């Protein structure tokens, strides 16, 4: 497989550090609110990378964090008069619900910054001992110029950065906060302020800097060197650049082999973001569309390209997904009645060729857009070439292949069966009759069957009421 590596700005052959195993670290969200669909893009894209590597037989260790201590969380907690952890725990749970609805697999480990403080303190100590960090009045800074490779990921020259910082520098001096040796130095540990959560440290009570958490959590859950580090392209500088500086300075080894960055989800050609206010949460979009459509929409573009969000494009994705699901349900119906026979060598060869082309697209820097086109071709082939005269094996071979490839993309190829009101009411009537006849086992069985269909029953004085979960 080839992966475009931000570090070298080239597509490179992917070769894991340990044969058959891949360690992936993806920077996760800061949990102070519901996630928006821009935040969902890296989750979907890199979940698809993970699924594809698993399909290829790799054992994948997938780690993605929650940033659960941060100015925005603290501000929100103060506004609501609760502890910061109340806010972060609430939105971690909400985020997990959204990820599930987007069919994003549970991470191997989902670390939280506040639970890893001792390891962060350890890394800071190492950096101070090696001369890469220093403390002033309870703040610990990373000495950026002590790391010779600074700028290698974002391809920035450290001296250009210096001049770009002059204005900030001036502002800091004016406000009397300038205690850094160099304006390029960044914070590893910041001292406690009134009303903020804090932890004890050798430099006084305080909390860690944002960049540090990913260096520490990736080391703990993957190792000093990780195969693939990923996130949105806004994280390249300074976040990922700073992660490299901290980790390589502390561990004396390369930090990440491959750096993958997704392009922005835009709206009216502007980045979707909380601060611009031009965002939709996954939750609100979920009320309008089935979220499998949003996943399909995200994957219909290459992950490095910007993607504009619009109702027209989502509608197009909806139609595309339906085309696949309709073909699959036709094949499912045929499977029920077609008789067993020979698998046609022509169909087998066609299916094998589609699978090969799907893999070639995915091997080309995760080109999900082309991979989806292959599935569309497959569906077209199935609609025109598999019908009367086909054997059960022909139908099954095609259906299994479509299912397998859709599963790599996390796309559900089988339409959820629609539950009709009349069917629900018939079952409820049957349950009432069973109860009347004192056949409670059957009554319970029907209640469970309805519950599996997502129907909740409530026995009231006026009779049985029901609602969809
Ligand atoms: P944040 O909570 O802002 O740190 O973002 C969490 C993840 O979402 C990071 O990987 C960001 O790069 C990514 N992200 C945020 N906004 C967008 C967007 N509009 N399009 C794509 N990715 C985004
Ligand atoms: Zn990070």
């Amino acid at each position: 497989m080839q992966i475009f590596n931000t570090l070298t700005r080239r597509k490179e052959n992917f070769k894991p550090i340990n044969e058959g195993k891949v360690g992936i670290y993806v920077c996760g969200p800061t949990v102070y609110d519901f996630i928006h669909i821009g935040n969902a893009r890296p989750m979907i894209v890199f979940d698809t990378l993970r699924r594809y590597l698993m399909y290829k037989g790799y054992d994948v260790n997938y780690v993605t964090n929650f940033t659960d201590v941060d100015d925005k969380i603290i501000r929100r907690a103060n506004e609501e008069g609760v502890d910061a952890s109340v806010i972060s725990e609430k939105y971690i749970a909400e985020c997990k619900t959204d990820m599930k609805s987007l069919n994003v697999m549970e991470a191997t480990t989902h670390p939280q910054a506040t639970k890893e403080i001792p390891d962060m303190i350890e890394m800071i100590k190492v950096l101070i001992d090696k001369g890469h960090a220093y403390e002033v009045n309870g703040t610990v800074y990373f000495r950026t110029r002590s790391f010779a490779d600074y700028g290698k990921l974002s391809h920035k020259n450290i001296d250009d950065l210096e001049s770009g910082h002059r204005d900030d520098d001036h502002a800091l001096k004016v406000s009397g906060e300038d205690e850094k040796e160099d304006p390029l130095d960044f914070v590893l540990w910041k001292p406690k302020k009134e009303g903020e959560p804090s932890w004890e440290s050798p430099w006084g009570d305080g909390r860690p800097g944002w960049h540090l958490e990913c260096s520490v959590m990736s080391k703990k859950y993957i190792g000093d060197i990780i195969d693939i580090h990923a996130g949105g392209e806004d994280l390249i500088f300074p976040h990922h650049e700073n992660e490299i500086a901290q980790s390589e300075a502390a561990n004396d080894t390369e930090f990440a082999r491959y750096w993958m960055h997704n392009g922005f989800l835009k709206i009216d050609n502007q980045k979707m973001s909380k601060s611009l206010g031009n965002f939709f949460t996954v939750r609100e979009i979920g009320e309008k569309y089935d979220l499998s459509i949003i996943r399909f929409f995200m994957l219909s573009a290459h992950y490095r390209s910007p993607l504009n969000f619009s109702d027209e494009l989502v509608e197009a994705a909806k139609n595309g997904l339906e085309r696949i699901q309709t073909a699959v349900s036709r094949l499912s119906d045929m499977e029920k009645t077609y008789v067993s026979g020979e698998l046609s060598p022509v169909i087998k060869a066609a299916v094998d060729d589609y699978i090969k082309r799907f893999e070639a697209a995915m091997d080309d820097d995760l080109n999900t857009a082309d991979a989806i086109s292959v599935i569309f071709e497959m569906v077209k082939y199935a609609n025109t070439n598999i019908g009367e005269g086909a054997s059960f094996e022909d139908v099954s071979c095609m259906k299994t292949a479509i299912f397998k490839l859709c599963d790599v993309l996390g796309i559900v190829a089988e339409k959820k069966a629609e539950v009709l009101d009349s069917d629900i009411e018939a079952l409820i009537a049957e349950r009432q009759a069973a109860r009347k006849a004192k056949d409670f086992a059957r009554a319970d069985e029907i209640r469970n069957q309805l519950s599996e269909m997502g129907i909740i029953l409530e026995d009231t004085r006026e009779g049985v009421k029901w609602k969809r979960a």
Side-chain angles (χ1 to χ4, degrees):
M1 181 182 193
Q2 290 225 310
I3 287 179
F4 181 90
N5 190 350
T6 310
L7 205 55
T8 55
R9 289 184 171 163
R10 278 194 288 110
K11 280 187 200 171
E12 292 175 21
N13 282 328
F14 175 66
K15 199 170 174 300
I17 301 158
N18 299 307
E19 209 183 311
K21 292 193 169 157
V22 187
I24 304 179
Y25 186 92
V26 184
C27 295
T30 306
V31 279
Y32 65 101
D33 207 339
F34 287 97
I35 56 163
H36 61 69
I37 51 174
N39 301 134
R41 192 172 188 196
M43 290 173 181
I44 293 168
V45 161
F46 299 116
D47 175 65
T48 304
L49 170 73
R50 172 193 193 178
R51 284 168 181 265
Y52 185 57
L53 291 169
M54 285 166 66
Y55 165 86
K56 285 172 87 83
Y58 289 106
D59 176 7
V60 183
N61 177 10
Y62 192 90
V63 180
T64 183
N65 67 306
F66 286 117
T67 296
D68 62 348
V69 60
D70 161 272
D71 290 343
K72 293 182 197 130
I73 300 172
I74 295 168
R75 196 182 317 132
R76 179 92 191 236
N78 289 342
E79 277 164 17
E80 296 191 13
V82 294
D83 206 63
S85 63
V86 174
I87 298 292
S88 58
E89 291 300 331
K90 171 176 185 278
Y91 290 110
I92 286 173
E94 299 291 8
C95 179
K96 285 190 172 172
T97 302
D98 287 339
M99 288 168 93
K100 205 164 171 208
S101 317
L102 292 162
N103 207 15
V104 170
M105 287 170 68
E106 180 97 25
T108 316
T109 314
H110 232 151
Q112 288 172 233
T114 56
K115 300 195 173 151
E116 310 290 344
I117 306 284
D119 288 45
M120 299 199 203
I121 291 174
E122 275 316 301
M123 190 176 273
I124 297 174
K125 280 191 198 160
V126 170
L127 289 169
I128 293 178
D129 287 348
K130 289 186 168 177
H132 289 295
Y134 58 95
E135 184 254 346
V136 192
N137 300 325
T139 305
V140 182
Y141 294 100
F142 185 86
R143 193 175 271 128
T144 302
R145 280 189 184 275
S146 73
F147 181 67
D149 280 342
Y150 195 81
K152 70 175 171 181
L153 179 71
S154 52
H155 304 94
K156 288 182 193 292
N157 179 305
I158 201 160
D159 295 315
D160 296 343
L161 284 171
E162 185 88 70
S163 60
H165 267 269
R166 250 176 226 148
D167 288 345
D168 297 355
D169 191 22
H170 179 68
L172 284 174
K173 277 196 177 117
V174 169
S175 64
E177 286 171 22
D178 185 30
E179 51 187 21
K180 295 196 245 181
E181 290 176 2
D182 185 318
L184 287 178
D185 296 349
F186 58 89
V187 171
L188 299 175
W189 186 264
K190 55 177 104 178
K192 177 186 175 160
K193 282 196 205 132
E194 210 35 56
E196 288 189 357
S198 64
W199 291 263
E200 280 178 19
S201 85
W203 317 285
D205 289 359
R207 61 185 165 105
W210 171 43
H211 313 301
L212 187 69
E213 64 179 79
C214 293
S215 283
V216 169
M217 294 189 278
S218 60
K219 177 182 167 85
K220 179 160 174 190
Y221 295 104
I222 300 179
D224 284 1
I225 316 178
I226 52 191
D227 290 294
I228 303 173
H229 195 315
E233 66 182 2
D234 53 336
L235 300 186
I236 298 174
F237 187 85
H239 184 54
H240 288 161
E241 199 68 74
N242 291 355
E243 280 186 37
I244 294 176
Q246 296 160 159
S247 293
E248 298 196 354
N251 304 331
D252 288 320
T253 180
E254 180 187 12
F255 177 43
R257 287 272 169 93
Y258 302 86
W259 286 87
M260 294 176 79
H261 293 100
N262 65 273
F264 290 139
L265 182 74
K266 297 188 165 190
I267 192 154
D268 297 326
N269 290 314
Q270 259 192 323
K271 179 194 172 192
M272 183 177 286
S273 76
K274 285 260 156 66
S275 53
L276 290 171
N278 60 349
F279 64 92
F280 293 112
T281 61
V282 169
R283 209 50 73 82
E284 59 191 329
I285 290 294
E287 284 171 14
K288 208 166 156 190
Y289 297 103
D290 189 309
L291 288 173
S292 59
I293 298 170
I294 297 300
R295 182 167 180 127
F296 192 75
F297 159 75
M298 297 272 188
L299 296 177
S300 52
H302 188 265
Y303 76 92
R304 281 191 289 120
S305 311
L307 174 59
N308 216 29
F309 182 82
S310 71
D311 277 330
E312 294 80 60
L313 289 176
V314 177
E315 281 298 328
K318 183 171 177 228
N319 293 337
L321 183 57
E322 268 173 9
R323 211 179 328 145
I324 297 171
Q325 290 173 335
T326 307
V328 167
S329 79
R330 183 177 155 267
L331 293 171
S332 291
D333 287 346
M334 290 196 285
E335 249 181 351
K336 287 183 199 131
T337 53
Y338 280 33
V339 286
S340 187
E342 294 276 301
L343 169 59
S344 145
V346 178
I347 289 177
K348 167 91 173 63
V351 167
D352 285 348
D353 188 53
Y354 287 127
I355 293 176
K356 234 186 251 157
R357 287 175 49 211
F358 175 92
E359 290 175 1
M362 296 294 276
D363 279 341
D364 181 14
D365 190 30
L366 205 74
N367 194 335
T368 54
D370 283 1
I372 287 176
S373 304
V374 175
I375 297 179
F376 281 144
E377 281 184 49
M378 233 168 150
V379 160
K380 198 169 161 199
Y381 180 92
N383 289 344
T384 42
N385 296 292
I386 301 185
E388 290 286 321
S391 68
F392 172 85
E393 285 75 8
D394 296 336
V395 175
S396 194
C397 171
M398 179 55 90
K399 186 183 147 185
T400 309
I402 298 179
F403 254 93
K404 205 161 104 182
L405 301 188
C406 283
D407 192 51
V408 170
L409 302 174
I411 301 294
V412 184
E414 192 120 66
K415 221 185 205 151
K416 267 188 243 151
E418 236 176 275
V419 185
L420 298 174
D421 287 8
S422 54
D423 290 346
I424 297 165
E425 273 146 24
L427 278 169
I428 291 175
E430 197 192 331
R431 177 170 169 264
Q432 293 301 83
R435 287 172 114 191
K436 219 169 181 180
K438 302 217 173 333
D439 184 355
F440 296 112
R442 175 69 189 138
D444 283 350
E445 204 176 85
I446 296 172
R447 175 185 275 272
N448 292 341
Q449 188 184 345
L450 285 162
S451 151
E452 270 164 32
M453 289 156 77
I455 306 302
I456 299 164
L457 295 185
E458 206 187 335
D459 291 312
T460 70
R461 240 180 251 204
E462 296 82 48
V464 180
K465 296 227 166 99
W466 64 271
K467 62 177 185 196
R468 289 174 201 268

